[in-house]
Structure formats: C-alpha cells, structure tokens
Amino acid sequence: MFKSLTLVTLLSISFSSITLADTFTLSSKDIAEGEFMAKAQEFNGFGCSGGDLSPQLAWSGAPEGTKSFAITAYDPDAPTGSGWWHWQIVNIPHTVNEIAAGAGSAKKGSAPEGSVQIANDFGYRGFGGACPPEGHGIHHYRFTVHALSVEKLELPQEASGALTGYMINANTIATSTIESLYKRDK
C-alpha cells in the first residue's frame, strides 16, 4: 500500500511540474484580471476622452507547435447584439513574446514587424480603447493572446472582426486571457 501511494504521489508531482512548466500565461503592467482599467486605456472619441493606449502585454509558455500569435480585445457587454471588437492583431511572429504599451496605435506603426492589425468596430486598424455607454454599468474587456498553428492567417484586406475571429479560433492551439473592467457613470 505504501509503495502504491508513494508511486501515485511521485507521478502526481511529476505531472504537476510538467503541467505548470507548459502553462501558457499572459501578463501586463497596465491591466489586471478583474480590475478596472486606467483612463489611459479609454477611447478618445464617441464622448470618451481617454488616452486610447493599448496595454503592455507579455506572454510565456507557448505550446510546442506555435508558429505565430494573435491578440484580441473584445467587449461582450457592448449593446450591439454581437459585442465589440476593440483590437485584433494577427501574424505576430512566434519569436515575439511581448508588446509595448501603445503598440496598437494605428498612427505610430509600433506593432511587431510582419503583424497585421484588423479594423476594429470603431472603423480603423489598431487598438480602440474602452468606451461603454454612460450609465450602462460595468463592461468586461477580454484581452487574449492566441498561440496559432500557422505562421500567417490568410485574410482579405478588409476582413471583418467575425471572419478574423473565426480564422483565429480555427487555428488556435492555446489561449490566455486577462479580463479587465471599465464603466462610465452619468
């Protein structure tokens, strides 16, 4: 009995170590799980006056077979019937594991080389910050990094957020998400 228990314990410890070593994680200096985002991540327009700054993001533990990454920022609480795409960036090289704050700026061109920013639901390519309707309550913003099994997603020039989301999900090996919050009071 003791030998069986010891063997099970050793196997559990070994398996746990392997599982922890292979965990795909996302972190940020600018946003945190379940915490409210700063004014820096608020949109500048549509009645909002924030910094419209995409957050710094870093990831580690990408699974074997990862050939590229994609990042999405999505608000499922937007009163549209389909949520709101704030950011989709694809074809991030597999050698990249961090993007700086502001990398989603459509004006600065500081996204990783070779990557492509998709038009957000504000209508332009790049990051568009949080801007929920005043008095609409707390919105949840899901920043997700996707490890992809392909080097490049083949998308049309004017791909929609839905098509891009479909292609990302069809080629995803693993994901890691930080869900941050934002609200605007009346």
Side-chain angles (χ1 to χ4, degrees):
M1 170 92 169
F2 180 72
K3 286 183 182 180
S4 296
L5 198 55
T6 304
L7 180 59
V8 169
T9 303
L10 287 173
L11 287 173
S12 295
I13 291 170
S14 295
F15 181 72
S16 295
S17 298
I18 291 169
T19 303
L20 291 175
D22 292 337
T23 301
F24 188 41
T25 59
L26 177 62
S27 62
S28 177
K29 297 174 185 172
D30 300 323
I31 60 172
E33 180 71 28
E35 300 291 327
F36 283 91
M37 291 186 285
K39 187 86 169 170
Q41 278 73 53
E42 182 181 279
F43 189 63
N44 193 332
F46 282 53
C48 292
S49 59
D52 208 19
L53 188 69
S54 61
Q56 177 272 346
L57 299 170
W59 53 93
S60 63
E64 189 173 325
T66 299
K67 295 184 179 171
S68 70
F69 297 100
I71 297 170
T72 59
Y74 178 72
D75 172 9
D77 303 314
T80 63
S82 61
W84 192 271
W85 290 107
H86 287 267
W87 194 23
Q88 292 176 307
I89 178 171
V90 301
N91 302 339
I92 300 169
H94 75 281
T95 54
V96 174
N97 64 3
E98 180 174 7
I99 58 167
S105 171
K107 297 172 187 164
K108 293 181 183 175
S110 55
E113 189 172 333
S115 66
V116 175
Q117 299 202 71
I118 305 302
N120 59 39
D121 283 339
F122 291 110
Y124 64 88
R125 295 175 178 271
F127 176 79
C131 187
E134 285 184 345
H136 199 254
I138 297 172
H139 281 223
H140 300 78
Y141 295 84
R142 296 178 184 154
F143 290 84
T144 303
V145 63
H146 304 258
L148 303 179
S149 60
V150 295
E151 285 182 31
K152 184 177 180 183
L153 291 180
E154 298 296 335
L155 294 165
Q157 179 72 18
E158 299 303 321
S160 68
L163 175 60
T164 303
Y166 175 84
M167 293 301 290
I168 289 170
N169 289 324
N171 293 284
T172 292
I173 300 170
T175 64
S176 188
T177 300
I178 296 173
E179 186 176 85
S180 293
L181 311 173
Y182 207 77
K183 74 175 182 171
R184 291 174 57 219
D185 295 321
K186 286 187 176 188

